[in-house]
Amino acid sequence: MVFLGGAILRASVTDVYLRYVKQGLRPFLIVAGVLLVVTALAALWQEFRDHRRTGEEHDDGHGHHHSGPAVGWLLLLPAVALLFVAPPALGADTAARAGSALTGNQDTAYPPLPPGDPARLTLLDYGYRAVYDNGRTLRDRQIQLTGFIAPGPDGQPMLARIILSCCAADGIPIKIGLGGDVPQLPADTWVQATGRWLPHTAKDPVNDSDIPYFQVDAWQKVNPPAEPYE
């Protein structure tokens, strides 16, 4: 429990936890890690105090100690995984297997984009405005999007990002089709693309949701962000 709580704390005070959960859950992870460590230390102190008091190891005569079954050491496995194995964030493989997030109807009045070009938008915000607002607030504006390359159903590159409600287990992709100067890069390569709204949509074959398009005027490769999810 000490190692498991310590591993959770280490992940929480670095950016590693962002590969598993949303940023807002960091305080809860820290509290959980502290509670695990405190509880484990209290149990160790109790064990040490009892051992000193009796001067023996409390053997029950069958080779088992009262400190608990050996299976408890399996708690070391998730601790070691958190400390030494850093899995990649969900990416192109998830985008290929799961349907896009733009399902249903969003009858919402979207406010104008902030002044200044290019306007930096999340992929989800761009998708909502393109599909549910018919691109009204996107017209005649330069827009900047950041995401990773994922193969589209037609084999052409798309821009994608994973959206979390809580943790990586509920992650779903937002997919943006690309036109113009399309980056021909391997899947999971992160790019920052600048361009314009393209009045065109396609259907996602996975869940029949709408996939809006984006006209790429310029792009550049970027490092994966510390917080890879939207």
Side-chain angles (χ1 to χ4, degrees):
M1 287 179 65
V2 170
F3 279 105
L4 180 59
I8 293 175
L9 285 174
R10 179 180 180 274
S12 301
V13 299
T14 64
D15 291 332
V16 173
Y17 81 101
L18 291 172
R19 301 188 182 188
Y20 302 95
V21 299
K22 297 195 73 170
Q23 188 176 30
L25 295 178
R26 170 183 259 173
F28 301 100
L29 287 176
I30 293 175
V31 169
V34 169
L35 287 176
L36 279 172
V37 171
V38 170
T39 302
L41 292 177
L44 285 172
W45 170 248
Q46 181 72 32
E47 185 82 9
F48 177 72
R49 187 179 63 176
D50 291 347
H51 182 70
R52 288 186 59 186
R53 181 179 301 167
T54 61
E56 57 186 26
E57 295 190 7
H58 302 281
D59 198 303
D60 63 4
H62 297 88
H64 299 105
H65 298 288
H66 293 295
S67 57
V71 71
W73 287 97
L74 290 177
L75 282 173
L76 281 177
L77 295 180
V80 170
L82 277 173
L83 287 171
F84 300 109
V85 181
L90 301 178
D93 183 62
T94 300
R97 291 185 288 105
S100 182
L102 297 178
T103 58
N105 294 315
Q106 300 286 336
D107 188 13
T108 304
Y110 293 90
L113 298 182
D117 284 342
R120 296 182 180 180
L121 299 181
T122 65
L123 267 62
L124 187 61
D125 190 13
Y126 177 85
Y128 279 156
R129 291 170 182 269
V131 172
Y132 303 127
D133 199 34
N134 296 316
R136 179 182 58 85
T137 59
L138 303 174
R139 296 169 185 171
D140 303 319
R141 293 296 304 271
Q142 281 284 306
I143 299 161
Q144 189 175 89
L145 303 176
T146 300
F148 58 82
I149 296 297
D154 57 357
Q156 295 300 310
M158 295 189 306
L159 201 61
R161 201 152 178 177
I162 305 299
I163 303 167
L164 300 188
S165 296
C166 172
C167 60
D170 60 30
I172 56 175
I174 172 70
K175 309 175 186 180
I176 305 296
L178 300 176
D181 184 16
V182 179
Q184 300 296 329
L185 297 170
D188 289 318
T189 303
W190 282 81
V191 299
Q192 185 180 82
T194 302
R196 294 163 285 124
W197 169 65
L198 193 60
H200 174 69
T201 60
K203 289 293 184 180
D204 191 327
V206 180
N207 64 348
D208 202 39
S209 62
D210 289 309
I211 297 179
Y213 271 68
F214 181 71
Q215 180 78 11
V216 180
D217 295 331
W219 60 269
Q220 62 177 346
K221 291 175 60 176
V222 295
N223 293 324
E227 187 173 5
Y229 305 119
E230 289 189 358

